[in-house]
Amino acid sequence: AFELEVVRENGLFAMVQVMRSGTVALQELAAGCVRNLSGHFQSQIVDQGGLDALLSLLLAPDAKLQEHSVVSVRNISTKTAHDALMVERGILAPLVALLRSPTESIQEHAAGALRNLSANSENKRRIVLEGGLGPLIGLIRTNQQAIQEQACAAIRNLAVNPENSARILEEGGIPPLVQLLRSPSKRIQENACLALRNITGNGPNELKVVMEGGLPPLIALLSIDDRDLQEHAAA
């Protein structure tokens, strides 16, 4: 109820203005408020000019500003109606840059935003052109499951594109995907299965997955008492 009142009383517009021109301390407060609102008021944030303000803060030198902004961008990216505008405004390059952030939470949210945006067929191509594939593959090699899940899901989406599948092979993406088939996280296992399915569905790549040791963990998943995982592994 409080968040709705803030939006109704034009508080969102005021916060966007502070994000654009306030001191760092005030920008952090305003960006934190917008972050809280972004879970439910994505369209209102875009309508009030918040997207450009967030874009300007994504690569701010202050890590807290980066985190507030990338969480808001990730939440806005859940609404596919905003995909084209976000990409048009140049959101992909800073998101790709944040995949290399030293802050793990920022890595996670940047990968999550790219996961959402990569559902769009044109964005699949553009994310790779912006250099997003290499750092995403790097993130699935980390030991943080939250980061692995978002990065693996983004790669799963990107792999639908045949050219991207070839790039995943070229950049060494198969071994870490195979390793994730053994993850203790069901969601990570599912995303790894689907990524490998998409890769093997685009050209003669099945043998390469087998050569990288993909067959034993896939067979192991067939014996798990989980119908979803069994179906994904069988595919």
Side-chain angles (χ1 to χ4, degrees), residues 11-179:
L12 181 54
F13 177 78
M15 284 183 277
V16 168
Q17 302 312 305
V18 173
M19 288 167 59
R20 285 175 169 162
S21 58
T23 65
V24 171
L26 287 175
Q27 284 179 320
E28 282 189 11
L29 289 172
C33 290
V34 171
R35 171 182 180 169
N36 292 336
L37 293 171
S38 67
H40 298 97
F41 299 99
Q42 297 95 339
S43 295
Q44 291 87 339
I45 292 171
V46 173
D47 292 343
Q48 295 292 335
L51 197 54
D52 289 335
L54 290 167
L55 178 58
S56 70
L57 296 180
L58 280 175
L59 297 181
D62 183 271
K64 184 55 68 175
L65 277 176
Q66 289 181 354
E67 183 176 340
H68 287 328
S69 301
V70 76
V71 171
S72 295
V73 167
R74 178 181 178 180
N75 287 337
I76 293 170
S77 71
T78 62
K79 300 291 187 182
T80 57
H82 304 310
D83 282 2
L85 180 62
M86 295 177 79
V87 173
E88 178 186 319
R89 289 288 198 272
I91 208 76
L92 295 182
L95 287 176
V96 168
L98 290 178
L99 295 174
R100 295 186 172 93
S101 169
T103 304
E104 291 179 344
S105 60
I106 292 176
Q107 294 175 346
E108 176 192 346
H109 293 301
L114 289 171
R115 170 187 184 173
N116 294 336
L117 292 169
S118 63
N120 177 283
S121 59
E122 175 60 19
N123 290 345
K124 288 176 172 57
R125 184 184 66 86
R126 297 184 69 164
I127 289 169
V128 173
L129 289 176
E130 290 286 354
L133 185 55
L136 285 169
I137 291 174
L139 290 182
I140 65 174
R141 291 190 173 102
T142 69
N143 58 4
Q144 298 298 318
Q145 289 186 13
I147 297 173
Q148 288 177 332
E149 180 182 341
Q150 299 306 320
C152 188
I155 291 171
R156 175 201 72 198
N157 290 343
L158 295 176
V160 172
N161 179 297
E163 293 180 3
N164 291 347
S165 288
R167 290 285 300 275
I168 293 169
L169 286 166
E170 292 170 7
E171 298 198 25
I174 299 300
L177 286 172
V178 169
Q179 185 63 33

Side-chain angles (χ1 to χ4, degrees), residues 162 198-206:
N198 290 339
I199 291 168
T200 56
N202 286 318
N205 299 326
E206 290 184 3

Side-chain angles (χ1 to χ4, degrees), residues 176-189:
L177 286 172
V178 169
Q179 185 63 33
L180 291 184
L181 294 174
R182 299 181 173 92
S183 170
S185 166
K186 176 184 173 180
R187 289 194 297 269
I188 292 175
Q189 289 178 317

